[in-house]
């Protein structure tokens, strides 16, 4: 792979095989629980829980996009999150977590707290994060945060954290490696749920941990081998296949998200429209420094839970579903889940790859339908 290649070229080419006559463009999944292994254990593929050629192809591809020394794929985003948090902290360590990020990450933190880890939860934006760094062993950032869409300056936090001897991991789920490169900004780990925009078709659960050093990746991989939180070969192959359209998808989704956000700004019944690429958004200044693409998620608040329900029910092109990053637009009233500190009428909207005009028209029509009178 050439460093000078653009994002689209890299997304199409990463991790593919050579060009020998008869080679497929992407070899099919290898279904193997075990491998022939005569004599003493040797070679990369010894047992199905330790390694698989289909994972290797995907790990090479994601690693190239993230600029990683080595990458480890997992059965889901939470398997990846857990491997980092559980695998790299122990009793007496201090772990810094976002108070406004994906709630299940904090739940893992709560389990660690019961086992002697000091867990400090702080908002993604603002000064509190810097004040929480002294004594930390691991700093976990989620930027942009889900669902609040706050961002932090990864480069600055990484510098400050490293000066205090802490490791920095970034949840890169929302941005994807085409939107943000945490390792280039100084983080030690870029981890993500590949279930979302990375694979983008709402048909796969996947996670990964991309590491700046082979030593860190070895520790994460050992944790995976031990716990068995491995991706299925079919999922890994589907994920790799999806990468070739990553740039097309995230560009269209980002453009759609911005168009929806701008259309919502013009509506008096909609409050707190958030998207990192919106000029004037609290995240805009930092986001334009650390991100190259701004993701597909828009947050906004309607009057109350009933108005949000009516809005979601009136949408024709947008599924009421709890995820983001897919080619199909989707939205949900986020307060229907416990653990999210959001208003009852808060809607998390994920822009898909539909035509921009169709999507904006659907959103505005549903707003009309949801408005009383
Ligand atoms: C930011 C973030 N990290 C991690 C996860 C967990 O990913 P998964 O559902 O693939 O386990 C999610 C899921 O929504 C998420 O939004």
């Amino acid at each position: 792979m050439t460093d000078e290649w653009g994002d689209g070229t890299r997304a199409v080419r990463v991790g593919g095989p050579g060009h020998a006559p008869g080679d497929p463009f992407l070899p099919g999944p290898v279904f193997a629980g075990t491998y022939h292994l005569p004599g003493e254990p040797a070679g990369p593929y010894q047992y199905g829980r330790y390694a698989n050629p289909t994972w290797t192809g995907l790990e090479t591809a994601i690693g190239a996009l993230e600029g990683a020394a080595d990458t480890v794929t997992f059965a889901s985003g939470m398997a990846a999150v857990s491997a980092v948090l559980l695998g790299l902290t122990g009793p007496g360590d201090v772990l810094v977590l976002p108070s406004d990020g994906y709630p299940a990450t904090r739940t893992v933190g709560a389990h660690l707290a019961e086992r002697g880890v000091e867990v400090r939860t702080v908002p993604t934006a603002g000064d509190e994060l810097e004040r929480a760094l002294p004594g930390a062993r691991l700093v976990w950032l989620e930027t942009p945060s889900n669902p609040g869409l706050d961002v932090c300056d990864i480069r600055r936090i990484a510098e400050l954290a490293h000066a205090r001897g802490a490791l920095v991991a970034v949840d890169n789920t929302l941005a994807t490696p085409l939107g943000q490169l945490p390792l280039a900004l100084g983080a030690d780990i870029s981890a993500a749920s590949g279930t979302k925009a990375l694979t983008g078709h709402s048909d796969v659960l996947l996670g990964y941990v991309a590491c700046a050093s082979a030593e860190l990746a070895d520790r994460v991989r050992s944790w995976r081998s031990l716990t068995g939180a491995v991706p299925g070969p079919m999922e890994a192959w589907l994920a790799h296949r999806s990468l070739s359209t990553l740039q097309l998808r995230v560009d269209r989704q980002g453009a759609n998200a911005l168009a929806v956000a701008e259309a919502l700004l013009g509506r008096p019944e909609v409050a707190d429209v958030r998207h990192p690429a919106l000029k004037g958004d609290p995240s805009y200044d930092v986001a334009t420094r650390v991100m190259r693409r701004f993701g597909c998620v828009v947050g906004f608040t309607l009057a109350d839970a009933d108005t949000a329900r009516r809005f979601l029910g009136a949408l024709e092109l947008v599924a009421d579903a709890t995820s983001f990053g897919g080619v199909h637009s989707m939205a949900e009233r986020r307060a229907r889940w416990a653990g999210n500190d959001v208003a009852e009428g808060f809607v998390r909207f994920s822009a898909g790859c539909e035509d921009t005009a169709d999507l904006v028209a659907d959103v505005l029509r549903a707003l009309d339908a949801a408005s009383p009178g």
Side-chain angles (χ1 to χ4, degrees):
M1 202 177 91
T2 315
D3 284 345
E4 293 93 61
W5 281 349
D7 288 340
T9 312
R10 294 184 321 118
V12 169
R13 300 298 291 266
V14 281
H19 296 96
D23 271 356
F25 279 69
L26 183 65
V30 175
F31 297 104
T34 191
Y35 308 94
H36 292 285
L37 187 68
E40 294 308 308
Y45 304 112
Q46 302 177 0
Y47 182 59
R49 203 175 73 242
Y50 305 159
N52 176 292
T54 313
W55 309 345
T56 307
L58 176 63
E59 289 170 353
T60 306
I62 296 174
L65 293 176
E66 288 276 6
D70 196 5
T71 298
V72 189
T73 51
F74 284 87
S76 68
M78 279 318 297
V81 171
S82 304
V84 175
L85 299 186
L86 298 169
L88 301 182
T89 63
D93 285 342
V94 173
L95 168 66
V96 178
L97 289 179
S99 56
D100 50 352
Y102 186 57
T105 302
R106 284 194 297 284
T107 307
V108 176
H111 282 283
L112 284 167
E114 285 170 9
R115 290 160 179 76
V117 176
E118 183 191 331
V119 180
R120 299 175 184 160
T121 53
V122 287
T124 300
D127 301 338
E128 236 181 286
L129 178 52
E130 289 185 24
R131 289 199 295 276
L133 299 178
R137 172 82 197 107
L138 177 64
V139 180
W140 179 273
L141 308 174
E142 187 181 303
T143 175
S145 60
N146 165 30
L149 299 174
D150 278 328
V151 304
C152 67
D153 188 338
I154 297 172
R155 192 190 300 278
R156 179 172 165 71
I157 299 299
E159 273 170 20
L160 293 171
H162 287 160
R164 289 161 173 79
L167 288 170
V168 176
V170 177
D171 186 324
N172 206 24
T173 301
L174 205 146
T176 82
L178 294 194
Q180 173 171 273
L181 289 169
L183 304 181
L185 293 165
D188 303 283
I189 285 173
S190 177
S193 165
T195 311
K196 309 290 187 299
L198 187 86
T199 62
H201 292 73
S202 304
D203 53 9
V204 159
L205 277 169
L206 192 96
Y208 69 86
V209 179
C211 300
S213 75
E215 185 267 329
L216 264 180
D218 284 349
R219 292 172 66 188
V220 172
R221 187 169 276 114
S222 298
W223 183 267
R224 182 185 66 181
S225 294
L226 186 68
T227 58
V230 297
M234 190 69 197
E235 281 75 7
W237 181 80
L238 279 169
H240 197 161
R241 187 181 189 277
S242 302
L243 288 186
S244 51
T245 55
L246 181 62
Q247 188 228 29
L248 295 173
R249 290 185 280 108
V250 294
D251 279 353
R252 170 65 81 94
Q253 289 171 288
N256 278 351
L258 185 57
V260 167
E262 282 170 343
L264 291 171
L265 277 181
R267 297 291 295 234
E269 70 272 49
V270 181
D272 296 330
V273 180
R274 295 294 308 268
H275 181 65
L278 263 186
K279 288 204 179 72
D281 188 278
S283 295
Y284 181 80
D285 286 341
V286 181
T288 48
R289 261 185 282 140
V290 295
M291 300 178 77
R292 296 182 298 146
R293 294 179 175 85
F294 301 92
C296 58
V297 181
V298 179
F300 57 94
T301 304
L302 300 177
D304 49 32
D306 280 342
T307 312
R309 285 189 198 104
R310 282 199 300 275
F311 168 73
L312 293 166
L315 289 162
E316 284 174 9
L317 281 179
V318 182
D320 190 345
T322 185
S323 192
F324 58 87
V327 294
H328 307 87
S329 288
M330 59 190 102
E332 73 168 335
R333 194 179 72 82
R334 196 62 187 160
R336 68 180 171 167
W337 300 103
N340 290 274
D341 186 17
V342 292
E344 286 295 319
F346 175 82
V347 174
R348 185 184 68 186
F349 186 97
S350 171
C353 289
E354 298 86 356
D355 284 323
T356 309
D358 293 339
L359 193 55
V360 170
D362 195 38
V363 168
L364 296 182
R365 196 192 42 73
L367 273 180
D368 287 339
S371 306

